[in-house]
Amino acid sequence: MNTSPAIKTNIELTKRRTSVIRRFAIRRVAGTATIFGLLAAIESIAQSIGIILAYPDPAARAKVIYGLASNPALGLFYGNMHTDIISPGGYMAYRIMPIMILVLSIWAMLFITKMLRGQEENGNWELLLSGRSSARNSTTDIIMGSGVGLVIIFTLTALALIIGGHSSRFAMPIGGSLIYSLLLATGALIGVAVGALTSQLASTRRKAVIYGLTIIIFMFAIRSIGNAVAGLNWIKNLSLFGWLDKVNPYNNAPVYGWLWLTLAVTILVIGLVIWLSGRRDMGSSLIADQDTSKPKLSLLNSQLGFSFKQLRNIFIGWLIASLSFVAVIVSIDKTVAKTITGSGGLTKTFSNLTGNPYARIEVAYLSAAGYFIVITLIFMIAASLGHIRNEESSGRIDNFIAGGISRLKWLTSRLGVIMIATGSIYLLASLIDYFLAKAQGIDVGFNDLIFGGINILGPVAFILGLGLLIYGILPRHLNTIIYAVVGWSFTIDIIAAALKLNSYFADSSIFKHMALVPAATPDWHTFEVLIGLALLMSVTGIWLFNRRDLVLE
């Protein structure tokens, strides 16, 4: 039976429409996926190389690793204990894999909610459906295009581990490296499934992100409780992250069944999402909004108050993350110091990180809390700037400008709220750091830790200034450039803590230009330079924003 020319034309147009949507998703995901793939690859290989260089003797390495693993608190962030934990690959899977899976899942969830519910909320979804593509087909194409990002992450990580582990000194099996890379990509796939599901449940992208973060953090918390609490290991069976934790890719007998089960459940959820997308009207959600609601007029009497109301969920989330990191790090200070005292490798690593080779190990480790405060503050600023950019790209800024509020006031009010939140989170985290240190009998001065620690805000201010400059020049590339700079700096700093790098490479990290107190003396000259550069970039960025056209999605 011959197909009529009209039917052939319709089929070709539908295929072309599908390929356009898929290419649209691929273009959006490729850049950030490459950044996170490189980050995952470099961080993973750095952990395996670092432990071997620090402890080439297996007996000494086993003593240190098992000593650290004996502290249940480390199970909150570290992986599953297994027989091959002292090998380079085994230690890497234990030390860094759970955190990388969590980071990649959150990244993927944020990306897919932007591509699905975010496009629908902004009205762009209507353009995708105005042709011959249905909602179900468009959702499928967006998810499949996003899958290219997972392939990028898998490829970059696998290549790094296979090349880096080829040496007989590290001897990481190729099969184990492939499974490890697949586990990271599966973590991102979980984020895609969760984000796609919450995009069907929620009526706005903001709600979809909140639902998604709640699900991901809840699953990771169940996995962490199973690791940290004796007798509750069985609870990991209730979490997808707990299933991935049990695979142990570099063990003599990896449990592949948990990986296949995770992939099967995740793919089933994605299939459910695709089915649901074709069952609802555009703009609707499975969890319907109330037709009427009590007005919430608090904080609406000023731009500053409204800016805080818009950004408060970001601030609260990163406040909890910052306090949690500091509390865990400081609470295990004595255990870590006791375990690695007299062990040259990790002692040297902490000395390199703090910049003071003569600091006592408990003080050097305490100073690492400041490092994590800086990282959480920088990510909070990146998320806040991303929210500001989203207000512009979605067109919501028009509501303010049309109401007589200048663009300058709109931006500076949000900038002021970000600065206040940054200072407040730093102060609260530093106070937690101080009081927990005192509770353990660690001799540290209040002024040294609280006021001297202000110098670590230099890199934070620099990133804020850089973000504003990019926002004024290349607003569409704001997130990509910021995360690239932060990822590069973090990677260089971690490698430099274990290996001796060329000074030019080491200085390219923004984290290099701060003194981690109380182990090191505050470097106020560098702090002043960073603040000066931050002010210059901020003023320039705000001026450029005030002069350029508004840039939509």
Side-chain angles (χ1 to χ4, degrees):
M1 180 177 178
N2 295 327
T3 305
S4 68
I7 295 177
K8 287 183 178 180
T9 301
N10 288 337
I11 293 174
E12 290 178 359
L13 288 174
T14 302
K15 289 182 178 179
R16 189 179 305 169
R17 185 73 176 179
T18 296
S19 64
V20 169
I21 296 174
R22 198 172 299 171
R23 287 201 304 270
F24 169 69
I26 292 173
R27 285 198 304 269
R28 290 299 184 88
V29 78
T32 53
T34 300
I35 293 173
F36 278 92
L38 289 173
L39 176 64
I42 295 173
E43 292 301 325
S44 297
I45 198 68
Q47 291 294 330
S48 59
I49 293 176
I51 195 66
I52 289 295
L53 294 180
Y55 300 99
D57 178 52
R61 187 163 66 247
K63 179 182 177 182
V64 170
I65 294 175
Y66 282 121
L68 292 174
S70 64
N71 191 313
L74 290 178
L76 295 173
F77 301 105
Y78 289 7
N80 192 41
M81 286 289 293
H82 52 85
T83 57
D84 201 34
I85 194 175
I86 66 171
S87 69
Y91 177 75
M92 177 182 68
Y94 164 73
R95 173 66 179 82
I96 198 68
M97 188 180 78
I99 291 297
M100 289 311 309
I101 287 176
L102 176 63
V103 169
L104 291 173
S105 65
I106 292 176
W107 161 76
M109 183 274 298
L110 293 174
F111 175 80
I112 201 68
T113 53
K114 181 178 182 180
M115 294 299 296
L116 292 177
R117 178 54 67 175
Q119 296 291 330
E120 191 169 351
E121 183 180 2
N122 295 341
N124 295 334
W125 195 250
E126 185 176 358
L127 298 176
L128 297 179
L129 302 185
S130 62
R132 299 177 180 274
S133 180
S134 65
R136 190 168 291 167
N137 289 338
S138 296
T139 301
T140 303
D141 292 329
I142 291 291
I143 292 175
M144 291 182 65
S146 303
V148 173
L150 278 59
V151 174
I152 292 174
I153 290 171
F154 169 82
T155 303
L156 291 175
T157 307
L159 286 175
L161 295 180
I162 291 172
I163 295 172
H166 181 69
S167 170
S168 59
R169 187 175 185 182
F170 304 108
M172 290 191 291
I174 293 178
S177 297
L178 292 175
I179 293 298
Y180 176 93
S181 304
L182 183 57
L183 287 168
L184 297 190
T186 303
L189 183 63
I190 291 173
V192 170
V194 170
L197 178 61
T198 59
S199 293
Q200 305 303 314
L201 297 176
S203 59
T204 64
R205 193 210 170 201
R206 177 173 170 271
K207 290 182 179 180
V209 169
I210 293 174
Y211 295 165
L213 284 175
T214 301
I215 294 172
I216 289 175
I217 293 174
F218 179 73
M219 289 194 298
F220 193 82
I222 290 178
R223 166 233 166 256
S224 298
I225 292 171
N227 274 347
V229 180
L232 287 182
N233 188 261
W234 61 269
I235 203 174
K236 293 172 65 174
N237 296 329
L238 305 179
S239 166
L240 295 180
F241 293 130
W243 296 357
L244 296 182
D245 221 27
K246 293 185 173 187
V247 176
N248 301 330
Y250 290 98
N251 203 356
N252 293 328
V255 188
Y256 297 129
W258 291 110
L259 174 58
W260 311 140
L261 181 60
T262 304
L263 287 171
V265 170
T266 307
I267 292 172
L268 282 175
V269 172
I270 291 175
L272 174 64
V273 166
I274 293 173
W275 179 76
L276 289 173
S277 66
R279 299 281 296 178
R280 64 177 181 84
D281 295 330
M282 185 176 62
S284 65
S285 59
L286 298 181
I287 300 179
D289 283 338
Q290 295 180 353
D291 294 332
T292 60
S293 61
K294 187 177 180 180
K296 300 176 182 178
L297 304 178
S298 60
L299 301 175
L300 296 182
N301 58 345
S302 69
Q303 267 295 300
L304 199 65
F306 180 79
S307 299
F308 173 74
K309 191 168 186 175
Q310 290 290 93
L311 296 169
R312 63 184 176 184
N313 288 332
I314 295 175
F315 298 151
I316 292 172
W318 286 108
L319 170 64
I320 295 173
S322 179
L323 297 182
S324 300
F325 272 123
V326 170
V328 170
I329 290 171
V330 181
S331 64
I332 63 175
D333 192 310
K334 285 289 188 179
T335 300
V336 173
K338 181 179 179 181
T339 300
I340 68 177
T341 296
S343 175
L346 284 179
T347 302
K348 182 180 178 181
T349 297
F350 282 115
S351 298
N352 291 339
L353 184 64
T354 60
N356 182 7
Y358 306 106
R360 302 191 316 274
I361 186 61
E362 65 268 17
V363 175
Y365 188 76
L366 178 67
S367 301
Y371 190 90
F372 283 97
I373 292 174
V374 171
I375 290 176
T376 54
L377 288 177
I378 285 177
F379 276 108
M380 183 196 76
I381 286 174
S384 301
L385 291 175
H387 186 278
I388 292 174
R389 166 59 191 154
N390 188 53
E391 280 196 71
E392 178 188 356
S393 64
S394 64
R396 294 198 300 272
I397 186 177
D398 295 341
N399 298 323
F400 298 96
I401 297 176
I405 296 172
S406 67
R407 292 169 58 170
L408 183 63
K409 185 175 182 180
W410 174 84
L411 180 58
T412 53
S413 64
R414 283 151 180 76
L415 177 60
V417 169
I418 293 173
M419 294 172 65
I420 293 172
T422 299
S424 301
I425 292 175
Y426 162 76
L427 181 60
L428 288 173
S430 297
L431 289 173
I432 293 291
D433 193 357
Y434 173 77
F435 287 116
L436 287 179
K438 281 296 186 181
Q440 295 185 77
I442 301 173
D443 185 20
V444 57
F446 182 86
N447 290 337
D448 293 336
L449 188 60
I450 305 299
F451 295 106
I454 292 176
N455 89 99
I456 68 175
L457 296 179
V460 178
F462 180 87
I463 291 296
L464 177 58
L466 177 63
L468 287 171
L469 181 61
I470 297 168
Y471 182 56
I473 302 174
L474 300 169
R476 284 196 176 104
H477 304 285
L478 172 64
N479 287 337
T480 301
I481 296 176
I482 286 293
Y483 285 120
V485 171
V486 175
W488 170 267
S489 298
F490 184 67
T491 300
I492 290 296
D493 226 35
I494 292 298
I495 295 175
L499 306 174
K500 186 176 181 180
L501 292 180
N502 180 283
S503 60
Y504 292 105
F505 278 105
D507 291 341
S508 67
S509 167
I510 186 62
F511 301 123
K512 180 71 173 178
H513 305 287
M514 64 179 180
L516 293 176
V517 298
T521 303
D523 185 354
W524 296 116
H525 174 70
T526 302
F527 175 75
E528 292 168 358
V529 171
L530 290 175
I531 294 296
L533 291 173
L535 286 173
L536 178 61
M537 290 188 293
S538 298
V539 171
T540 304
I542 293 172
W543 180 77
L544 290 171
F545 165 76
N546 207 36
R547 291 180 61 85
R548 68 169 172 80
D549 293 332
L550 295 179
V551 180
L552 298 179
E553 186 67 39

